Amino acid sequence: MASIGIIGTSDSFYSELDYDNDSKPLVAALEARGHRSARLDWHEDLDWSAWDLLVLRSPWDYTLEPRAFDAWLERAGTASRVLNDPALVRWNMDKRYLAALEAEGVAGVPTSYHEDEESLTRALDDLARGDGEDHVVLKPAVGAGARMTGLFSADSPAALSLGREILAEGGVVMLQPEIPELSAGAEKALYLLDGHFTHAIAKGALLARGGGLIGGVYQENPVVVETSEAERAFAERALAAVTRATGQQMPLYARIDTVDSAEHGLVLLEAELFEPTFNLHLVPEVVDRFAEAIIARLPQQG
């Protein structure tokens, strides 16, 4: 019998709108297969060496404490085996990895990165036509849950204001043109285990024009959706590019976010490699497949 920890954060962090639906069924499936398993909070002062394998699932508050989370990766990764691998997690925490994947031939949304206000101001000026029709998205390169993310007209003072907030926190600003299909809720999240497609989810549009979130709160509305052969192949190519760019083995799990854009074609929005919810409550048939994939990654005994 092996011991397998499923890593999340404290119960107080979750809400009815943003809840970990993956850990409980995974723990139950692993227990049913004869392994000791529990959902653990990465903040806890535990003997991590007591666990044969630690599987990151929902450490969603890492963006609030990135240095503490990095230190946890070091401690836990030294004491036990962590999946996905800490080196891959560190690479994935900063969304500038998207540039590395573009270099590997994975098409993405045109993105510029800004470490100072002067650079950001120039870029916004270049994108603005002055009629308020050109919209842009700003967000931090290290972030999750749409925190400090906004959709504005490029010439809006609010766009620069959000950029200043990100810079003031020591962050790097990502600037992208609006993708109309994305604003209309056409994003698809494709999930993979060991590099193979399992299912896809659409969660609807999140950002309100002029800043903030639709309805004023972060609320996904996940539904299972069909995918084309081209979309599945794109997701698998994107994940293969991750292994080339990082020199890492195929991740245990991944979520590849895509949108099919009239202007740019099928593009990568994000490759989430350490904390994507799989929405297992919507696809219970994937639970056993996920549990078996985890068990197959257990360190060999003896």
Side-chain angles (χ1 to χ4, degrees):
M1 179 180 73
S3 56
I4 304 170
I6 304 299
I7 306 301
T9 188
S10 61
D11 286 334
S12 62
F13 178 79
Y14 302 111
S15 72
E16 291 182 3
L17 300 178
D18 187 19
Y19 188 72
D20 175 11
N21 289 300
D22 292 353
S23 295
K24 186 175 180 179
L26 277 179
V27 166
L30 293 168
E31 293 267 356
R33 287 161 172 76
H35 299 287
R36 180 171 72 96
S37 185
R39 183 168 74 82
L40 307 172
D41 178 357
W42 68 271
H43 301 87
E44 293 182 272
D45 184 16
L46 299 177
D47 177 8
W48 299 107
S49 66
W51 299 87
D52 298 302
L53 185 62
L54 299 169
V55 181
L56 286 159
R57 291 307 313 124
S58 56
W60 295 331
D61 59 348
Y62 80 93
T63 59
L64 306 178
E65 305 175 80
R67 292 181 182 176
F69 184 64
D70 184 76
W72 178 85
L73 287 172
E74 182 64 28
R75 292 194 306 275
T78 299
S80 181
R81 185 180 189 190
V82 176
L83 294 177
N84 285 323
D85 189 273
L88 184 62
V89 172
R90 291 187 177 98
W91 179 83
N92 194 227
M93 284 174 67
D94 189 322
K95 292 182 178 61
R96 283 176 285 187
Y97 71 78
L98 291 167
L101 294 183
E102 283 218 61
E104 292 289 341
V106 180
V109 178
T111 305
S112 58
Y113 302 89
H114 306 278
E115 299 182 13
D116 59 76
E117 184 176 333
E118 181 180 358
S119 167
L120 176 61
T121 300
R122 286 199 306 269
L124 286 168
D125 288 344
D126 288 343
L127 291 170
R129 293 187 307 190
D131 57 9
E133 293 300 318
D134 286 321
H135 282 70
V136 296
V137 172
L138 295 91
K139 55 188 171 182
V142 177
R147 179 176 179 266
M148 300 185 80
T149 299
L151 172 62
F152 307 93
S153 60
D155 59 359
S156 168
L160 183 57
S161 178
L162 176 60
R164 286 171 175 157
E165 289 182 38
I166 295 169
L167 294 170
E169 287 197 0
V172 173
V173 180
M174 294 177 64
L175 179 64
Q176 300 173 325
E178 178 189 23
I179 304 298
E181 295 84 357
L182 184 58
S183 297
E187 175 182 351
K188 288 185 183 180
L190 282 74
Y191 295 87
L192 302 96
L193 291 171
D194 289 322
H196 301 294
F197 174 81
T198 60
H199 64 290
I201 294 287
K203 60 186 178 183
L206 295 172
L207 300 180
R209 285 196 167 195
L213 299 166
I214 295 173
V217 294
Y218 182 88
Q219 183 171 8
E220 296 184 1
N221 296 289
V223 294
V224 179
V225 292
E226 296 296 322
T227 55
S228 67
E229 182 177 344
E231 288 170 327
R232 295 190 295 274
F234 180 89
E236 293 183 0
R237 287 199 306 273
L239 200 50
V242 167
T243 66
R244 295 195 301 272
T246 63
Q248 296 283 320
Q249 67 172 330
M250 182 62 66
L252 167 65
Y253 59 82
R255 187 192 76 208
I256 304 297
D257 294 342
T258 68
V259 69
D260 198 355
S261 160
E263 182 175 357
H264 305 288
L266 185 60
V267 293
L268 176 68
L269 301 172
E270 186 172 350
E272 179 49 71
L273 305 175
F274 69 95
E275 43 92 11
T277 177
F278 262 58
N279 289 289
L280 292 178
H281 61 302
L282 299 180
V283 284
E285 68 276 11
V286 176
V287 175
D288 288 339
R289 187 170 169 183
F290 205 152
E292 293 292 346
I294 290 171
I295 293 167
R297 296 290 188 105
L298 282 166
Q300 297 298 312
Q301 301 297 318

